[in-house]
Amino acid sequence: MYATTDTLATTPATQGGRSRWLALYTLCAGMLMIVLDVTVVNVALPAIQDDLGFTSSSLAWVVNAYLIAFGGLLLLAGRLGDLLGRRNIFTAGLVVFTAASVLCGLAQTQEMLVIARFIQGVGGALTSAVILGMIVTLFPEPREQAKAIGVYAFVASAGGSIGLLAGGVLTQAISWHWIFFVNLPLGVLTAVLAVKLIEKDKGLGIGKGTDVPGAVLITAALMVGVFTIVKPAAELGWTAPRTLALAAATLVLLAGFIAREATAANPLVPLRIFRSRTLTGANLIQALSSSGMFGIFFLGSLYLQRVLGYDALEIGLAFLPTTVVMGLLSVKYSEKLVMRFGPRRPLIAGLSLIVVGLALFTLAPVGGSYFVHVLPVLVLLGLGGGICFPALMGLSMSDVKPEDAGLASGLIGTMGEVGAALGLAILATLSATRTAGSTKPTLQALTDGYHFSFAVAAAIVAASVAIAAVVMRQPKPQQQTEDEEELLLEAA
């Protein structure tokens, strides 16, 4: 998207047109595995609880163990891609994720499943952190890059709803073990295709970017931060002493990391990267929009299950329109919109549609009809996501130097993951608190709680619209940038 000449200079010139698209599909297959895993597991949690004897509180660790490793390591994984080669990190992540998936499927104890899920999170971080950086290197031409990012954005954002359907089918038709076993053939095939279709890139070298103290500080900060969100904050409340203590520890670790990066000779995360107004704004928007969208998919599923009485398979089918609409826009029309209007306008328009959809969800009653109260919301979310997320991904990488592409890719992924965890914790807590304090009948109390969270989610995404309107600037088209550089060279 609006690539610079520096990016063009580092693009593998030998990778032909058709093979580049096959490489893209391979990268997206790896991303789909990671995205599917989150929602597939959510659908299977009741079956896992019954089979392995988890309590309600300990069951959360099936999800939390993955989130802590995944969210904590994304930024480090992205930088490792820059240093050691992105294809190397991508394939290594696939191997780790696939092996851990088999361990998850074989688990017969709670401890084995939780440990395997943590290892899965490590593999997921390594795989997904470098994908966006690889895509912008493979597709430097603006129109092709916009289309490629549209495909990636569809997989990254809509894959979750596919996971709801796949999880329901596998859990009900076979057993929960198979939600993990299916990753074995997918992971092996994707890794083989990655080696064959993606050219091996040469990283900067570990000696030119080693920053062990920085890596330890940021990984520890992110892991402690994610743990604080998904455990004490969600269970004890945001003002509980344990929550505040861990939040303070997170801030101390972050402060130490910033101090280290400001003085390190070869920092893990060069602070200069945040001088980019576009990159900084894109990451803020990613965090806020992820907070609203991810939390609503979770709470919307609960509304369908607890209020309308849907089972796992019906929930997956109910969310399918979001996937279809988002996929159609992301793959077929997002590139045309970005090339016609630039990325900023589609971003604002798409986020605004999401706000409208979330606000509309606050009107869904206890005896709601799917076609009247739910389907219009899901269509609006699909429209908004299909328009805005490809534009956001493109903007996040539009002002990044080639040697920082892996870092920027990991950064946008980290902000999305932390934003999703934070949004889920906040919205779920608000919903539960509103329901617990209600004197109305059970179903109405649950519905009121969901309505309140839907309204808060709409406000959060509305804040991202404001940031997009005020902070984000329209990148210059590539040809204009090249012409300006030629004039400067002639003047010199």
Side-chain angles (χ1 to χ4, degrees):
M1 173 86 45
Y2 296 86
T4 64
T5 51
D6 287 338
T7 305
L8 288 168
T10 61
T11 301
T14 58
Q15 188 130 11
R18 184 171 180 271
S19 65
R20 283 186 299 130
W21 288 102
L22 291 175
L24 170 68
Y25 301 145
T26 301
L27 292 172
C28 287
M31 189 65 193
L32 183 61
M33 284 178 58
I34 309 304
V35 175
L36 284 176
D37 187 75
V38 178
T39 48
V40 162
V41 172
N42 283 340
V43 171
L45 285 177
I48 293 173
Q49 182 178 18
D50 293 339
D51 192 20
L52 298 185
F54 280 98
T55 63
S56 296
S57 59
S58 63
L59 184 65
W61 280 104
V62 177
V63 176
N64 293 348
Y66 181 90
L67 287 177
I68 290 169
F70 187 73
L73 291 171
L74 270 173
L75 193 57
L76 175 59
R79 195 53 175 169
L80 287 176
D82 292 332
L83 301 177
L84 303 177
R86 292 170 200 139
R87 195 191 74 170
N88 291 335
I89 296 301
F90 177 77
T91 52
L94 284 174
V95 171
V96 173
F97 183 86
T98 303
S101 296
V102 174
L103 290 177
C104 288
L106 294 173
Q108 298 298 320
T109 65
Q110 299 177 18
E111 294 78 12
M112 182 177 178
L113 180 58
V114 170
I115 292 171
R117 285 286 288 163
F118 184 88
I119 300 172
Q120 240 194 340
V122 174
L126 291 171
T127 300
S128 61
V130 295
I131 292 177
L132 191 56
M134 296 170 78
I135 290 174
V136 298
T137 303
L138 280 169
F139 297 92
E141 194 275 321
R143 184 175 295 278
E144 284 191 335
Q145 190 178 108
K147 186 175 182 179
I149 289 178
V151 175
Y152 165 80
F154 163 64
V155 172
S157 55
S161 55
I162 299 175
L164 291 172
L165 180 59
V169 171
L170 289 171
T171 302
Q172 292 185 9
I174 312 176
S175 77
W176 66 264
H177 297 275
W178 282 91
I179 67 173
F180 298 112
F181 285 144
V182 293
N183 288 331
L184 178 58
L186 294 174
V188 171
L189 178 61
T190 304
V192 170
L193 290 175
V195 173
K196 289 183 174 294
L197 296 173
I198 302 173
E199 287 193 357
K200 187 174 183 179
D201 56 314
K202 185 177 181 181
L204 299 174
I206 199 71
K208 294 186 177 181
T210 305
D211 179 17
V212 175
V216 171
L217 285 167
I218 190 58
T219 302
L222 289 171
M223 283 190 172
V224 173
V226 174
F227 172 79
T228 304
I229 292 167
V230 300
K231 187 65 177 175
E235 295 181 0
L236 304 176
W238 291 92
T239 58
R242 188 180 179 191
T243 304
L244 294 176
L246 287 171
T250 302
L251 293 175
V252 170
L253 289 168
L254 283 174
F257 170 72
I258 293 172
R260 166 66 188 177
E261 300 311 280
T263 57
N266 294 306
L268 176 71
V269 181
L271 298 183
R272 57 176 167 72
I273 198 170
F274 296 106
R275 295 173 187 166
S276 168
R277 178 172 177 170
T278 301
L279 177 67
T280 302
N283 278 277
L284 288 173
I285 293 169
Q286 170 78 332
L288 291 171
S289 59
S290 297
S291 296
M293 285 287 284
F294 189 83
I296 287 308
F297 275 111
F298 178 78
L299 292 171
S301 298
L302 290 180
Y303 168 77
L304 293 176
Q305 180 187 30
R306 296 181 179 178
V307 179
L308 300 187
Y310 285 30
D311 61 26
L313 182 57
E314 289 172 333
I315 291 173
L317 291 171
F319 278 96
L320 201 56
T322 301
T323 305
V324 173
V325 173
M326 193 178 294
L328 182 64
L329 281 170
S330 298
V331 176
K332 192 169 183 180
Y333 296 108
S334 64
E335 166 255 333
K336 296 177 181 178
L337 289 172
V338 169
M339 296 308 300
R340 173 67 177 84
F341 299 104
R344 183 174 175 271
R345 291 178 183 174
L347 174 63
I348 294 173
L351 290 171
S352 299
L353 286 173
I354 293 173
V355 173
V356 174
L358 295 175
L360 192 62
F361 217 171
T362 63
L363 303 178
V366 170
S369 163
Y370 174 76
F371 291 101
V372 175
H373 302 105
V374 179
L375 182 59
V377 172
L378 299 181
V379 170
L380 284 170
L381 294 182
L383 286 170
I387 293 172
C388 78
F389 287 133
L392 179 60
M393 294 300 103
L395 277 170
S396 70
M397 303 296 292
S398 65
D399 196 24
V400 176
K401 294 182 178 180
E403 62 269 23
D404 294 330
L407 171 61
S409 176
L411 183 62
I412 196 76
T414 299
M415 294 303 290
E417 188 65 24
V418 173
L422 182 62
L424 178 58
I426 291 175
L427 296 176
T429 301
L430 290 174
S431 176
T433 302
R434 175 61 66 94
T435 297
S438 176
T439 58
K440 297 179 180 179
T442 302
L443 289 182
Q444 187 60 58
L446 282 171
T447 304
D448 289 347
Y450 298 142
H451 284 177
F452 184 58
S453 291
F454 297 158
V456 173
I460 292 173
V461 180
S464 72
V465 176
I467 293 174
V470 175
V471 176
M472 304 302 285
R473 293 173 176 171
Q474 190 84 304
K476 295 178 181 179
Q478 178 183 337
Q479 187 60 51
Q480 181 179 345
T481 302
E482 292 176 354
D483 291 344
E484 290 177 354
E485 290 178 353
E486 290 178 3
L487 288 173
L488 288 173
L489 289 173
E490 291 176 1

